[in-house]
Amino acid sequence: MWFFDALASGFRTPTDPGRLQAFRVLFGTVLTARFALSAGQGGWSRFIPGSLSLHLAEQRFGLRRARYLASLYRPALIIRTVAALALAAGFVPRLSLLVVLAGAAMELLYLRSPNAVRYTLLTGACLLVAGNLGHGLHIEHDPSTANTWAQCLLVLITTDIYWNSAWQKLRSPQFRTGLYLAQWVHVYTQVRDQLPYRRGQYAVPGIVRRHLGNLTAHDIRIWQLAAAAAITAELALPPALLIPQTTPYAAAAGIAMHAAFTCLKPRQLITFSGLTVSTYIGFAA
């Protein structure tokens, strides 16, 4: 298996540099979508005078630094979106990548739950240490060691994300028993018409709401099976993705799992699901 050969050889095992180049295209595409969407649903007006975001920033950083952040916020939204598009297109990819990562890191200053930002920075760091990011949309396939270390790092990060997520779910009795998912869908079913920004924000299918949107014992048992399937998939996906014979099936299962996750929180999970599925391309040599 190429991954263990690369580790044993000190990352001198040749791999297909096109794997990381294709991930660069996907990474730029996902971040372009994220940055473009971040300007909507009130994002463009985040730091306007009198806003809660500005008030919180003033409390956290002080009046002077908060006003400085507010003045840079909108230009940064535009610059980072253009840089993400340039990265996907392969235009000065390393410089574009640095701007994209800086633009993503900016969100650490004001997002209350920046886990997606941290994951973006981790996967972006894999590209940053790659020796050959390519240019334009052309993908090279001549084996070399230029991207071997970066590709191994990408596999390790994705494996850690999956296994850590599975461990957290296993430690949660509420998730393990299916109660968390049952309660989430039930509450959403009851209040969805009163929630803001419903389009693109909440996408639980109607058939799920009708048949599994109550807190009956039957519903909770079904959600318990769904929870067990999610934990099993997160544990099994990394090794299955590395084995050539099972890679296509593992990729299909992973895409289906992330599609289901994203239905629960489309806007919040678009980055995580998009980037995680994109890393699958790095599991093949």
Side-chain angles (χ1 to χ4, degrees), residues 179-195:
L179 188 58
Y180 171 80
L181 291 174
Q183 289 174 330
W184 200 101
V185 175
H186 174 70
V187 172
Y188 166 73
T189 301
Q190 301 301 313
V191 304
R192 66 188 185 91
D193 292 330
Q194 304 172 41
L195 296 172

Side-chain angles (χ1 to χ4, degrees), residues 47 52-63 66 69 109:
F47 290 107
L52 178 61
S53 296
L54 182 58
H55 176 69
L56 294 175
E58 290 172 351
Q59 287 185 325
R60 182 178 180 185
F61 303 114
L63 183 62
L69 172 62
L109 299 175

Side-chain angles (χ1 to χ4, degrees), residues 9-231:
S9 67
F11 309 106
R12 294 188 180 91
T13 300
T15 54
D16 182 355
R19 296 293 177 180
L20 263 290
Q21 293 170 8
F23 177 68
R24 182 257 302 164
V25 175
L26 295 172
F27 182 88
T29 302
V30 171
L31 268 294
T32 299
R34 174 182 175 83
F35 292 160
L37 289 172
S38 67
Q41 297 188 350
W44 183 254
S45 305
R46 183 182 298 273
F47 290 107
I48 61 174
S51 65
L52 178 61
S53 296
L54 182 58
H55 176 69
L56 294 175
E58 290 172 351
Q59 287 185 325
R60 182 178 180 185
F61 303 114
L63 183 62
R64 181 170 170 271
R65 291 181 179 178
R67 296 298 169 85
Y68 185 64
L69 172 62
S71 66
L72 292 178
Y73 175 70
R74 286 183 177 179
L77 291 186
I78 298 172
I79 292 170
R80 70 181 190 175
T81 304
V82 173
L85 189 59
L87 178 63
F91 179 71
V92 286
R94 203 164 294 277
L95 176 60
S96 298
L97 176 61
L98 287 171
V99 176
V100 166
L101 294 180
M106 179 185 72
E107 296 184 342
L108 294 172
L109 299 175
Y110 53 82
L111 288 187
R112 287 176 294 177
S113 181
N115 290 333
V117 180
R118 297 189 184 102
Y119 185 53
T120 298
L121 296 178
L122 283 172
T123 50
C126 298
L127 290 173
L128 203 58
V129 300
N132 182 6
L133 289 178
H135 296 279
L137 297 177
H138 176 69
I139 304 296
E140 302 173 25
H141 295 290
D142 294 330
S144 75
T145 59
N147 292 342
T148 299
W149 158 239
Q151 190 172 343
C152 287
L153 188 60
L154 187 65
V155 170
L156 285 172
I157 288 173
T158 302
T159 301
D160 177 71
I161 289 292
Y162 271 139
W163 286 357
N164 184 62
S165 176
W167 173 244
Q168 297 301 323
K169 290 181 175 66
L170 280 169
R171 291 181 61 193
S172 169
Q174 191 177 24
F175 187 90
R176 248 188 3 255
T177 58
L179 188 58
Y180 171 80
L181 291 174
Q183 289 174 330
W184 200 101
V185 175
H186 174 70
V187 172
Y188 166 73
T189 301
Q190 301 301 313
V191 304
R192 66 188 185 91
D193 292 330
Q194 304 172 41
L195 296 172
Y197 308 123
R198 280 178 290 164
R199 291 186 178 181
Q201 188 80 325
Y202 310 98
V204 178
I207 189 172
V208 175
R209 296 196 308 270
R210 287 191 298 272
H211 296 282
L212 295 173
N214 300 303
L215 292 177
T216 65
H218 174 265
D219 290 346
I220 294 174
R221 281 196 300 271
I222 297 297
W223 287 117
Q224 185 177 23
L225 292 175
I231 293 170

